[in-house]
Amino acid sequence: METNQEIISDLKGLVNIVNDGKEGYASASEATDSGELKAVFLKYSAQRADYADELKAHIAQHGGDSDNEEGGILGVLHRTWIDIKHALSSKEDAAILSAIETGEKAAIEKYDKVLDDYASHLDHLALLQRQRTGILEALKEIETYRLRLVR
């Protein structure tokens, strides 16, 4: 079983990835001209902010704190990649959606890694599973939008 510090570390890693998503979706909402996509991106940016708050509450329950509001280095790189892809692509929205898919798949992998050690995370297992499901549902919606654009 993991120590309390390792549990806190796992949860902080998830805070980073959901904040990456929050920032990525916010950047995407600014990059698109589509009102429909802008609304979807803002919805998921707000969802990720809520996820971060929930995770921070569990970090606090374990005696830790997380003041991260902006994500990790991977989030910065992911947002930069969205900006580059946006600037170079003739199908801007399709490129943005593809970049978001990459970020969502990375988030799911991060959740899966933490959930693999479910015994250490029993007190917040349902929360982690619910958040992972929300990210997967977002990924499916984003994929649907991208597929519509590339047809």
Side-chain angles (χ1 to χ4, degrees), residues 3-148:
T3 67
N4 214 36
Q5 283 306 107
E6 291 170 325
I7 292 169
I8 291 168
S9 177
D10 284 350
L11 294 176
K12 283 184 175 184
L14 294 178
V15 169
N16 284 344
I17 200 98
V18 297
N19 278 332
D20 291 345
K22 176 185 78 171
E23 295 297 320
Y25 276 117
S27 294
S29 75
E30 294 168 8
T32 185
D33 291 328
S34 165
E36 182 179 12
L37 286 178
K38 189 178 294 287
V40 169
F41 297 156
L42 291 173
K43 171 181 77 172
Y44 287 126
S45 180
Q47 178 193 61
R48 298 314 149 80
D50 290 343
Y51 285 2
D53 289 342
E54 292 171 342
L55 291 167
K56 288 176 186 179
H58 279 272
I59 290 170
Q61 287 176 4
H62 285 275
D65 62 45
S66 178
D67 56 6
N68 180 340
E69 297 296 331
E70 297 178 351
I73 185 68
L74 291 177
V76 172
L77 295 175
H78 185 241
R79 288 187 296 279
T80 300
W81 190 73
I82 288 176
D83 292 343
I84 291 168
K85 198 100 164 159
H86 176 258
L88 298 178
S89 177
S90 60
K91 292 185 177 183
E92 296 171 5
D93 285 342
I96 292 167
L97 291 164
S98 179
I100 289 171
E101 284 179 50
T102 301
E104 295 295 54
K105 288 174 183 175
I108 289 169
E109 286 176 22
K110 183 84 168 174
Y111 272 81
D112 287 346
K113 187 174 181 181
V114 171
L115 287 166
D116 279 346
D117 188 18
Y118 66 89
S120 296
H121 297 284
L122 285 177
D123 70 320
H124 45 263
L125 191 60
L127 169 73
L128 298 181
Q129 290 171 330
R130 180 179 52 76
Q131 288 185 352
R132 185 199 181 278
T133 298
I135 293 169
L136 182 60
E137 289 169 355
L139 173 61
K140 289 177 182 177
E141 184 174 0
I142 295 301
E143 287 173 338
T144 300
Y145 276 107
R146 184 184 53 77
L147 290 172
R148 260 196 256 155

